[in-house]
């Protein structure tokens, strides 16, 4: 992995990223882990270490919401093709199903109008429930935070547990993901990479996403903090689901088996050669992954047994950063290094 190592070191040296943790696994034959760079808390620089926790942003959608839904489906408490109204009667669109929400094919808008972090927004859920659909469900795809927030609420209503507690018991504890939490405790502050500077201070240990912040930091769309090592454990479950008695492997495989365009259930899936995803052009068909706005990503190539966890706090440099351009280069380099 020398070429990959030099690549990331160069990006940090050139100021394209503040820092990162990279974790690459190839079956049981290779494991590469390294931390790079540092971040500022506003007064001094802190080195990024292997155990640094990152706000993983939208990776929450596939590490919390997706598996929580799968657990409830496996227990017979949910059906993918049931109307959202069956679980949220206040939702006005009877034709929208849980499957539509997971595939970002519901017709819901991507987001709500921006609202400052510190402003009160007590009616955010009502705002989501009041949204009109932008297209007929199932006819198009449009990535939507709003649908994932609703799925998180459905998990809570059906399970009778708060989302964070349910996913800890059902997913994180069995996988021994001990450094994966919502709303990190104050004593973890020194281990958390700062994200963006807002109102003159860096956000550290609070969720970066405004909607999740307004909803108390625990949502189906964002809010999770994790280490690269924990996410490698999570990826290992998807590579070898039969090793754990959490969700039937056949149900997990369904999530990527019949993508529409580049969307499976929750995951982005490498399927259509015309769509270049964040894993780049060369990753094999059937690879799946997801990204997070703060600068995070997780990609898996199941046939090859490859997982790549790349955690950065790219928004530390502001929202106009280079992470979208850098991700495909990184993943192409990982694949070429493994194949050469």
């Amino acid at each position: 992995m020398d070429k990959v190592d030099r690549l990331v070191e160069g990006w940090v040296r050139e100021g394209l990223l503040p820092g990162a943790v990279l974790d690459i696994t190839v079956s049981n034959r290779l494991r590469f882990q390294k931390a790079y760079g540092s971040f500022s808390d506003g007064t001094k620089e802190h080195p990024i270490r292997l155990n640094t926790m990152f706000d993983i942003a939208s990776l929450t959608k596939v590490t919390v919401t997706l598996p929580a839904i799968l657990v409830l489906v496996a227990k017979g408490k949910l059906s993918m093709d049931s109307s959202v109204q069956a679980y949220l009667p206040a939702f006005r669109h009877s034709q929208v199903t849980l499957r539509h929400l997971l595939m970002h094919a519901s017709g819901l808008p991507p987001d709500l109008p921006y609202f400052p972090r510190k402003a009160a927004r007590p009616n955010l859920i009502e705002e989501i429930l009041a949204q009109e659909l932008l297209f007929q469900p199932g006819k198009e795809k449009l990535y939507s935070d709003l649908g994932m927030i609703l799925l998180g609420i459905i998990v809570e209503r059906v399970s009778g547990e708060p989302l964070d507690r349910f996913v800890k018991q059902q997913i994180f504890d069995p996988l021994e993901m001990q450094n994966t939490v919502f709303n990190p405790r104050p004593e973890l502050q020194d281990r958390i990479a700062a994200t963006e500077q807002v109102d003159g201070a860096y956000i550290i240990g609070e969720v970066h996403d405004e909607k999740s912040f307004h909803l108390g930091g625990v949502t189906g769309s964002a809010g999770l903090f994790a280490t690269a090592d924990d996410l490698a454990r999570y990826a290992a479950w998807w590579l070898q689901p039969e090793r754990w008695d959490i969700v039937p492997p056949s149900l997990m495989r369904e999530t990527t088996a019949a993508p529409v365009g580049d969307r499976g259930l929750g995951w982005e899936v490498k399927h259509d050669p015309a769509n270049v995803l964040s894993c780049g052009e060369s990753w094999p068909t059937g690879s799946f992954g997801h990204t997070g706005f703060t600068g995070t990503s997780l990609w898996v190539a199941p046939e090859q047994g490859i997982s790549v966890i790349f955690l950065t706090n790219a928004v530390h440099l502001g929202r106009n950063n280079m992470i979208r351009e850098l991700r495909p280069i990184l993943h192409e380099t990982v694949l070429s290094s493994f194949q050469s």
Side-chain angles (χ1 to χ4, degrees), residues 23-226:
D23 190 304
I24 302 167
T25 304
V26 183
S27 299
N28 296 317
R29 302 197 306 276
L30 182 147
R31 181 80 182 273
F32 176 86
Q33 296 173 294
K34 189 169 177 180
Y36 304 84
S38 62
F39 63 88
S40 172
D41 65 4
T43 57
K44 63 178 181 177
E45 287 288 314
H46 298 263
I48 288 179
R49 307 184 190 281
L50 287 178
N51 71 346
T52 294
M53 299 172 71
F54 290 79
D55 175 344
I56 65 171
S58 284
L59 284 186
T60 304
K61 294 175 172 73
V62 291
T63 54
V64 171
T65 310
L66 173 61
I69 292 288
L70 295 181
V71 166
L72 292 172
V73 169
K75 292 177 183 291
K77 295 185 176 181
L78 281 180
S79 168
M80 292 276 196
D81 295 308
S82 291
S83 168
V84 172
Q85 270 187 353
Y87 311 103
L88 293 176
F91 187 69
R92 296 183 301 126
H93 308 289
S94 61
Q95 68 274 46
V96 176
T97 66
L98 302 192
R99 189 181 301 273
H100 289 141
L101 295 185
L102 275 173
M103 294 191 78
H104 298 280
S106 66
L108 284 169
D111 210 339
L112 296 173
Y114 172 78
F115 224 71
R117 289 177 71 80
K118 300 304 182 185
R121 199 174 195 178
N123 301 316
L124 197 152
I125 299 301
E126 288 75 11
E127 288 182 58
I128 296 174
L129 294 171
Q131 295 298 306
E132 297 293 342
L133 301 185
L134 301 180
F135 54 83
Q136 185 179 341
K139 296 298 183 184
E140 299 178 40
K141 288 179 300 148
L142 185 62
Y143 183 84
S144 175
D145 274 5
L146 308 187
M148 287 290 177
I149 291 171
L150 294 181
L151 284 171
I153 295 170
I154 289 170
V155 169
E156 293 189 327
R157 293 203 176 173
V158 172
S159 70
E161 298 266 15
L163 182 63
D164 52 349
R165 186 187 306 163
F166 181 77
V167 79
K168 181 180 188 300
Q169 293 170 348
Q170 300 292 330
I171 307 295
F172 301 154
D173 285 352
L175 295 175
E176 298 181 12
M177 295 168 64
Q178 297 174 354
N179 296 290
T180 301
V181 296
F182 288 96
N183 290 327
R185 304 183 308 276
E187 56 265 33
L188 294 172
Q189 188 92 348
D190 290 344
R191 288 180 50 198
I192 298 172
T195 52
E196 191 177 15
Q197 194 172 34
V198 176
D199 298 328
Y202 284 105
I203 301 169
I204 308 175
E206 287 184 346
V207 60
H208 177 264
D209 178 83
E210 288 88 6
K211 296 184 300 303
S212 185
F213 180 80
H214 287 127
L215 289 169
V218 181
T219 64
S221 63
L224 200 65
F225 289 73

Side-chain angles (χ1 to χ4, degrees), residues 305-324:
I306 300 172
S307 70
V308 178
I309 316 300
F310 190 45
L311 300 188
T312 84
N313 55 333
V315 291
H316 197 61
L317 305 176
R319 299 194 178 196
N320 187 25
N321 58 69
M322 292 287 292
I323 190 63
R324 287 182 177 84

